[in-house]
Amino acid sequence: PNPVNDRLYIETEAEINEVVVYDIFGRRQVTETPSHQGNVAIDVSSLKSGIYFVKINTEKGNIVKRIIKD
């Protein structure tokens, strides 16, 4: 996993419907609905340092990735 500071950058060729960031307890911390296709930047500056999971809902299905917030 790549460390993240204030912005989480997501690059995909699929259309992103929604991005949700969860803490390690499964609590929803950030929800973003991008208004465009392609690269997306999510503001995570309000999150405390730690491990989080990012669920990316695309036209092709869901992807879950782990990130570390510095």
Side-chain angles (χ1 to χ4, degrees):
N2 293 330
V4 175
N5 288 321
D6 293 334
R7 301 220 43 66
L8 169 64
Y9 295 96
I10 300 170
E11 297 179 19
T12 180
E13 293 180 12
E15 183 175 339
I16 298 174
N17 300 320
E18 183 181 57
V19 178
V20 183
V21 180
Y22 296 94
D23 65 14
I24 60 171
F25 301 108
R27 295 179 296 213
R28 188 181 287 226
Q29 300 295 313
V30 177
T31 302
E32 187 82 26
T33 306
S35 59
H36 60 282
Q37 185 175 349
N39 299 343
V40 176
I42 308 296
D43 181 10
V44 293
S45 60
S46 64
L47 299 177
K48 295 180 181 179
S49 296
I51 297 173
Y52 294 87
F53 295 94
V54 180
K55 181 179 176 184
I56 306 163
N57 178 285
T58 71
E59 61 187 349
K60 297 181 180 180
N62 292 324
I63 301 165
V64 177
K65 296 287 184 178
R66 184 177 70 160
I67 62 168
I68 297 174
K69 168 74 166 74
D70 281 345

